[in-house]
Amino acid sequence: MHWEIRPKFPKMSQDSAKGVVRPNLTGERSATRGVGFQVTVFIVAFVMVYSRRHDAVLNAQFFAEDGKFWYTDAYNLGLHSLLMPQSGYLHTLTRLIALLTLFFRFSSAPLVMNLSAITVQILPVNVFLSSRFSNIALPTRLLASLIYLALPNTYEIDANITTIQWHLALLACLLLLARPASAWGWRVFEWTVLVLISVDGPMGIVLVPVAWVLWWRRRDRWQLTSLVLLVPGAVIQALSVLLTWHARQTGPNGAAFSRFASILGRQVFLSSLLGLKTQSWLIRLNTVHLVEAIATAAGLLLLLYVLRCGPMELKLFILFAFAVFALSLARPLAGAPDREQWALLCLPGCGNRYYFLPMLAFLASLFWIARPTAARQWLRYSVLALLLLLPIGIYRDWHYPRFADLHFRKYAGQFEQAPPGTKVTIPINPNWSMELTKH
């Protein structure tokens, strides 16, 4: 006896004026549309992020630019800080959050920043589990969301606003790739995110061609609106990059094919499955370069297969992720500017913000290939074998190392009690300091 299971798709409605076919979601009772479901998702996701690094909440401290630039500029310059480029481009959302912290006690500022960063980190999960992605089975989306929250080799971009743009870029990309919004609440949220990403780093520039392709394929007026909203900020950001290019601190690239294989094979393909700690063990092997070369070749072949056979949305996500990756490798700043940056990027744990989007794109490709009808049996089984390595990376990289306790609360108390005009120097991670003059 043969059983044939036919997937159920939402009923389609024809827009006679434009010839556009849209899913008709009227009356849909999907649990993913409920506020209760989304709140539950957010709480569970928050607990997962919290469990990976408790001190981001329990002992919140400034991290790098969080204190040295974002809070200091907001405190000294107020709204004018929004117009100040840093590292060659604007950081609007980051600076808005820093301005928000001024409404709280100084001792609470790092916590407000970290909670804001965690919120943006979680929002892609809420979007992916909403009805706008209901064309993907809910169990698949739940599994993908769990893997995103547990992704190995992501220590650098967890719970801090200095690297918030990476999660914001993922959120913006998902909103573009999702089904066009039908409710005004969704539209306002999406347009707000797109405007923010366009003026919060160069990744908004890379999203412009993604939005254009989606509008060209879908011919939806709301998709056109999204494209139009991205362009002004992208132009401003491009001008900012061009005008302040000389001000960006960089070091010699030190580009070489062997280093490219190490960066791509080790830091992207292997680390997305095995994690940072396993990567640190692998580099001690005599055959590490052979392993990296094999990983690079296999990873690129799998990505090329998906780019040839996969759905349009997945292809665009891969192209977006690796376009950002290519721009990052063009002028990276992974450490001391007097050292060759590609050599630093080969080191485990260095610059893993650059690998975040490519790792997600690679894992998404593996999951697509593993589907029953996506590839030949031998290829699917090979990919499934690779995915069985993922729990190793998740388990070994689950707990992030805590930041060094630099006794921020003590310094915050001194600053809050100091008379106006007092200068206070506060040590912050990683081996930096910030200086504030009390107003």
Side-chain angles (χ1 to χ4, degrees), residues 9-13 22-25:
F9 297 99
K11 294 180 179 180
M12 309 302 287
S13 62
R22 294 191 181 91
N24 183 4
L25 299 178

Side-chain angles (χ1 to χ4, degrees), residues 75-76 106 411 414-426 434-439:
Y75 184 80
N76 291 330
F106 177 63
Y411 289 98
Q414 293 175 0
F415 180 77
E416 290 172 344
Q417 297 173 12
T422 304
K423 287 187 177 181
V424 177
T425 301
I426 302 171
M434 58 184 292
E435 186 175 281
L436 292 174
T437 301
K438 184 70 177 289
H439 290 176

Side-chain angles (χ1 to χ4, degrees), residues 239-306:
L239 290 173
S240 175
V241 171
L242 291 173
L243 294 174
T244 61
W245 187 260
H246 62 282
R248 176 174 169 81
Q249 186 181 35
T250 58
N253 263 22
F257 181 79
S258 59
R259 288 173 177 171
F260 177 76
S262 293
I263 293 170
L264 195 58
R266 180 196 304 167
Q267 301 276 36
V268 176
F269 297 142
L270 288 176
S271 289
S272 63
L273 297 169
L274 296 173
L276 172 63
K277 292 180 181 177
T278 305
Q279 178 194 143
S280 301
W281 171 77
L282 283 174
I283 63 172
R284 296 197 293 267
L285 299 177
N286 294 329
T287 58
V288 62
H289 296 300
L290 176 61
V291 173
E292 291 168 354
I294 294 173
T296 300
L300 288 175
L301 287 173
L302 290 170
L303 288 172
L304 288 173
Y305 177 81
V306 178

Side-chain angles (χ1 to χ4, degrees), residues 61-76 98 106 110 113 161-162 408 426 428-429 432-436:
Q61 304 175 83
F62 287 120
F63 171 71
E65 287 91 344
D66 291 3
K68 189 172 183 65
F69 296 115
W70 316 138
Y71 186 87
T72 301
D73 290 345
Y75 184 80
N76 291 330
F106 177 63
M113 287 184 173
I161 65 169
T162 289
F408 170 75
I426 302 171
I428 57 178
N429 285 282
W432 289 21
S433 64
M434 58 184 292
E435 186 175 281
L436 292 174

Side-chain angles (χ1 to χ4, degrees), residues 206-395:
V206 185
L207 278 174
V208 171
V210 175
W212 183 86
V213 171
L214 287 167
W215 169 76
W216 181 70
R217 290 292 298 270
R218 293 173 176 174
R219 296 295 178 177
D220 185 282
R221 63 172 178 162
W222 300 115
Q223 205 85 49
L224 177 60
T225 305
S226 297
L227 171 61
V228 170
L229 287 172
L230 273 172
V231 170
V235 171
I236 292 171
Q237 204 66 269
L239 290 173
S240 175
V241 171
L242 291 173
L243 294 174
T244 61
W245 187 260
H246 62 282
R248 176 174 169 81
Q249 186 181 35
T250 58
N253 263 22
F257 181 79
S258 59
R259 288 173 177 171
F260 177 76
S262 293
I263 293 170
L264 195 58
R266 180 196 304 167
Q267 301 276 36
V268 176
F269 297 142
L270 288 176
S271 289
S272 63
L273 297 169
L274 296 173
L276 172 63
K277 292 180 181 177
T278 305
Q279 178 194 143
S280 301
W281 171 77
L282 283 174
I283 63 172
R284 296 197 293 267
L285 299 177
N286 294 329
T287 58
V288 62
H289 296 300
L290 176 61
V291 173
E292 291 168 354
I294 294 173
T296 300
L300 288 175
L301 287 173
L302 290 170
L303 288 172
L304 288 173
Y305 177 81
V306 178
L307 286 174
R308 180 176 180 271
C309 303
M312 177 192 67
E313 290 79 6
L314 181 54
K315 292 178 183 179
L316 287 174
F317 181 57
I318 293 171
L319 292 173
F320 167 68
F322 280 88
V324 172
F325 180 61
L327 290 175
S328 301
L329 291 184
R331 294 196 74 189
L333 185 61
D338 60 336
R339 296 186 58 183
E340 293 184 335
Q341 298 303 298
W342 279 35
L344 293 174
L345 289 174
C346 292
L347 300 176
C350 184
N352 59 24
R353 62 190 180 276
Y354 298 138
Y355 318 128
F356 170 63
L357 292 172
M359 286 194 301
L360 288 177
F362 177 60
L363 289 176
S365 300
L366 294 186
F367 274 98
W368 183 82
I369 294 173
R371 294 168 61 249
T373 59
R376 293 180 181 272
Q377 192 175 65
W378 68 268
L379 181 56
R380 289 195 297 108
Y381 286 168
S382 300
V383 166
L384 285 170
L386 288 176
L387 288 172
L388 288 175
L389 299 175
L390 184 56
I392 297 174
I394 290 175
Y395 174 76

Side-chain angles (χ1 to χ4, degrees), residues 132 180-194 220-222 226 229:
R132 293 187 65 184
S182 58
W184 274 105
W186 267 117
R187 291 170 184 170
V188 171
F189 173 68
E190 178 174 336
W191 296 339
T192 301
V193 170
L194 293 178
D220 185 282
R221 63 172 178 162
W222 300 115
S226 297
L229 287 172

